[in-house]
Amino acid sequence: MEWGTCPGVGPGAEVLGRSLRGRRVLELGCGQGQNAAHLASRHRAQVTAVDLVDLQIQGARDRYGEIPGLTLLASDAMRFLQHTAVVFDSVYSVFGAVGLVDPRPLLAAVARRLRPHGILGFSVPHPGRPGSGPTGGPQPRHGTIRLPDGSRRPVARWELSAAEWRRALARADMRAIAVRELGHSGRAHPTALLVIARRN
Ligand SMILES: C[S@@+](CC[C@H](N)C(=O)[O-])C[C@H]1O[C@@H](n2cnc3c(N)ncnc32)[C@H](O)[C@@H]1O
């Protein structure tokens, strides 16, 4: 499992829990589903992976649709969290919906579907990378993401500093237990922020 922008840099699936076998795990913004497929096939977790964009889920199903224990759904992350009745052991996002959806309602919705002491892990583009800087408030920055067919889709990005993520998590009844900066070989600055939190 990769959390950062450089393969092999940073921790793997262990940050989501010591043994994931049979655990209910949710990915928000799975893209083509490579991390969800890894958790279901290698760690035998029961993984639900959602992505807003149909094309991403179609691609994920083409590649990984046969893996037992992996459910791939086209859905907005907030909408899924508001409608599911499942309580998850771990929730995660790798440059996915966390950071691309207003953190205040999203983290509150995650906390409602995470079991007590369950883990939320997410990586986001590092807010201090060159040319960036934390948005530092409720207003997101506007940009685009590239889809597998080469098209670009507009997105809003909430780029919080580590301290702002800690505060946002605390407001949502979660506690940051680790914040790590992840680098990329050949680049002087960290490219990703990895945040691991525990539901109270
Ligand atoms: C930069 S991609 C990362 C994909 C994948 N996690 C990876 O590491 O390759 C961001 C993904 O988040 C999805 N996304 C954006 N907003 C979302 C939302 N509100 N709900 C669910 N998925 C969302 C996008 O469609 C896109 O596939």
Side-chain angles (χ1 to χ4, degrees):
M1 176 166 190
E2 300 290 351
W3 293 96
T5 56
C6 189
V9 171
E14 69 280 1
V15 300
L16 293 175
R18 240 184 310 159
S19 169
L20 294 175
R21 181 179 282 263
R23 298 284 183 181
R24 282 165 301 193
V25 177
L26 172 65
E27 178 167 8
L28 300 172
C30 64
Q32 297 277 292
Q34 62 279 15
N35 283 313
H38 172 81
L39 294 181
S41 59
R42 287 287 195 82
H43 295 268
R44 301 281 187 263
Q46 295 293 314
V47 185
T48 303
V50 304
D51 198 285
L52 182 62
V53 175
D54 277 337
L55 193 64
Q56 296 281 50
I57 292 297
Q58 278 167 30
R61 284 187 182 141
D62 289 346
R63 289 181 182 190
Y64 307 118
E66 303 301 317
I67 295 178
L70 176 60
T71 304
L72 296 157
L73 296 174
S75 175
D76 170 60
M78 272 303 287
R79 200 175 153 72
F80 176 81
L81 289 163
Q82 285 164 344
H83 288 89
T84 184
V86 178
V87 173
F88 292 93
D89 297 294
S90 308
V91 178
Y92 73 98
S93 164
V94 179
F95 303 109
V98 179
L100 298 175
V101 174
D102 188 345
R104 192 175 283 235
L106 182 68
L107 295 179
V110 167
R112 282 194 290 274
R113 302 313 327 158
L114 194 54
R115 71 163 167 80
H117 310 301
I119 297 287
L120 167 66
F122 60 90
S123 54
V124 289
H126 196 284
R129 67 198 185 283
S132 188
T135 47
Q139 296 309 320
R141 189 171 281 135
H142 294 277
T144 58
I145 53 168
R146 211 153 77 87
L147 295 179
D149 65 357
S151 65
R152 298 199 79 91
R153 186 187 170 95
V155 287
R157 291 183 192 284
W158 281 262
E159 300 205 348
L160 279 60
S161 66
E164 288 163 345
W165 278 117
R166 285 182 190 278
R167 284 195 289 274
L169 287 160
R171 280 195 297 266
D173 203 22
M174 290 185 276
R175 188 169 53 88
I177 53 176
V179 178
R180 283 186 61 174
E181 293 182 325
L182 302 181
H184 193 113
S185 58
R187 298 211 194 143
H189 300 275
T191 50
L193 199 61
L194 169 63
V195 180
I196 309 299
R198 195 184 288 282
R199 166 101 151 67
N200 290 332

